[in-house]
Amino acid sequence: MTREPPGCRRLNSLMLYTFRSITSHRSLSRPERCATSSQDAFRAFHRDQDFVRKFLKPLLVGELAPEEPSQDRGKNSQIIEDFRALRKTAEDMNLFKSNHLFFLLHLAHIIVMESIAWFTIFYFGNGWIPTIITAFVLATSQAQAGWLQHDYGHLSVYKKSTWNHLVHKFVIGHLKGASANWWNHRHFQHHAKPNIFQKDPDVNMLHVFVLGEWQPIEYGKKKLKYLPYNHQHEYFFLIGPPLLIPMYFQYQIIMTMIVRKDWVDLAWAISYYARFFITYIPFYGILGAILFLNFIRFLESHWFVWVTQMNHIVMEIDREPYRDWFSSQLAATCNVEQSFFNDWFSGHLNFQIEHHLFPTMPRHNFHKIAPLVKSLCAKHGIQYQEKPLLRALQDIVGSLKKSGDLWLDAYLHK
């Protein structure tokens, strides 16, 4: 796989992805002439519109003839217009301006936890109790670093994209041992087409789970039984939260960096492993440090899976419905009630609706735009789902059971 030209590396990796979403059915002479809802997707991900247009200009070749079919026909133009007015209101309220102190303090509390973890082992020794306590502290710092890299990856901290990209590589690479390019490529596909089969990698379950209503019925009709899906709500606890980060993500990250020859990301990741093993090999030895690292990731993986799935897996998961941007995000996302703990625990992803509508908005401003989003939903009769944290977690299991039952019924009777 070839690397992008140096200038393109500074771009959000979704630029061409969203552009293909636009031009799959409409070729435009200028991005601003796009009156379709695809323009909302493009604007949502790119802070510097003038910069990205430099790369798009050679690709724009004309306009769709009036008699040609368009996937945008039939979309609610009033919703599109009202959402753009809402975005303009958010801009006028300076809700896309970040509080740098907020993110600095967030980084500081991650570093403090890393220091406490080392001090615990240094002072109390490497017995079982200090080791378990330290593992939980480090898993917490890793989870919080995951939310922080998410902010920089979405360009929601600094006005200049270059600074966001640089700090993003530091946080996800040096603090977590992962790849910024891998994350960008995967995560922005999810944002462009959330919960859409064959377009959102987060619903590509490799035949391990069946999701939503359409997929389990299709698998059942075709008599596909890679696993007993009617029990997926039970084996989810064994192969979902425990294994996603320690096994699947780690393998995918390392292979992606090597295959794509992402040597910069690989260097950042190596710096994380070097720091970790230099710190903990003196206490545990090489094998012990490797086991310790994987136990930390085992704990973090539970945290990550439950938080990320409570907003999406319980929502509509289907093929491409070609809705407007606003409606498509509301169909695929739901919120969890606000509290200091919920905000911290989920990295403000309890405001998943607002995050998906405005991915470059700093997370500390989600609660300010949320009432306006609710009002727009009420105006157009669109459901705005918000639930308590424990219910949101329970609904994950419930949705898996529902999909599994649909599969079994189709498998046996259709």
Side-chain angles (χ1 to χ4, degrees), residues 87-345:
R87 182 178 180 89
K88 181 64 168 60
T89 299
E91 292 170 352
D92 293 341
M93 294 171 64
N94 288 324
L95 296 185
F96 290 93
K97 183 178 181 181
S98 68
N99 180 345
H100 292 170
L101 180 61
F102 172 88
F103 294 103
L104 181 62
L105 291 175
H106 193 87
L107 175 60
H109 103 292
I110 293 170
I111 295 173
V112 167
M113 282 188 284
E114 295 268 356
S115 302
I116 290 174
W118 173 84
F119 181 79
T120 301
I121 298 297
F122 175 78
Y123 188 80
F124 294 101
N126 60 356
W128 282 105
I129 293 178
T131 296
I132 291 174
I133 292 174
T134 300
F136 273 90
V137 172
L138 287 175
T140 302
S141 71
Q142 285 290 288
Q144 292 301 316
W147 309 145
L148 184 61
Q149 68 83 22
H150 180 264
D151 299 314
Y152 290 103
H154 273 294
L155 314 180
S156 63
V157 181
Y158 299 113
K159 187 175 182 180
K160 288 188 174 294
S161 297
T162 302
W163 284 104
N164 284 297
H165 290 314
L166 180 61
V167 181
H168 184 216
K169 286 186 180 296
F170 167 76
V171 176
I172 196 173
H174 184 67
L175 296 185
K176 291 189 62 61
S179 165
N181 289 340
W182 167 84
W183 184 89
N184 283 334
H185 180 72
R186 179 187 178 92
H187 191 66
F188 287 121
Q189 291 181 67
H190 159 70
H191 267 269
K193 300 291 182 179
N195 286 12
I196 302 300
F197 287 117
Q198 298 181 334
K199 295 184 179 181
D200 179 2
D202 286 6
V203 296
N204 177 21
M205 295 295 176
L206 304 176
H207 306 304
V208 176
F209 299 100
V210 290
L211 305 177
E213 298 183 1
W214 173 80
Q215 186 188 36
I217 292 175
E218 284 298 303
Y219 271 47
K221 288 180 178 178
K222 295 177 180 178
K223 309 306 176 186
L224 298 177
K225 188 182 180 181
Y226 297 97
L227 286 169
Y229 298 121
N230 53 310
H231 294 289
Q232 66 178 4
H233 61 291
E234 297 168 340
Y235 66 71
F236 168 76
F237 291 92
L238 300 177
I239 64 176
L243 302 182
L244 182 67
I245 290 179
M247 292 190 62
Y248 178 67
F249 272 4
Q250 288 308 307
Y251 172 79
Q252 193 178 71
I253 289 168
I254 293 171
M255 291 303 299
T256 299
M257 289 189 293
I258 294 173
V259 171
R260 293 191 59 188
K261 298 180 180 179
D262 276 332
W263 306 132
V264 173
D265 280 12
L266 185 60
W268 278 111
I270 290 173
S271 75
Y272 164 80
Y273 287 105
R275 178 173 58 87
F276 182 89
F277 287 122
I278 288 172
T279 302
Y280 291 104
I281 283 178
F283 300 106
Y284 297 105
I286 296 176
L287 179 60
I290 293 173
L291 293 174
F292 186 49
L293 174 62
N294 281 280
F295 180 55
I296 293 165
R297 286 183 168 159
F298 167 83
L299 296 174
E300 180 201 358
S301 188
H302 283 80
W303 191 331
F304 174 83
V305 170
W306 287 101
V307 168
T308 56
Q309 296 309 308
M310 70 183 182
N311 303 112
H312 290 299
I313 201 173
V314 300
M315 303 300 291
E316 176 185 297
I317 305 176
D318 209 333
R319 295 161 295 178
E320 174 66 83
Y322 300 112
R323 295 189 185 98
D324 59 89
W325 172 255
F326 183 83
S327 300
S328 65
Q329 302 303 317
L330 265 295
T333 59
C334 66
N335 278 9
V336 170
E337 292 175 349
Q338 182 188 23
S339 70
F340 177 82
F341 175 79
N342 288 352
D343 291 352
W344 174 84
F345 180 74

Side-chain angles (χ1 to χ4, degrees), residues 345-375:
F345 180 74
S346 68
H348 286 84
L349 294 182
N350 51 328
F351 287 97
Q352 191 73 216
I353 293 172
E354 289 71 26
H355 170 58
H356 266 255
L357 292 174
F358 309 103
T360 60
M361 181 180 289
R363 58 161 129 153
H364 52 70
N365 287 333
F366 288 154
H367 72 281
K368 298 177 182 178
I369 195 66
L372 301 181
V373 174
K374 289 180 183 178
S375 296

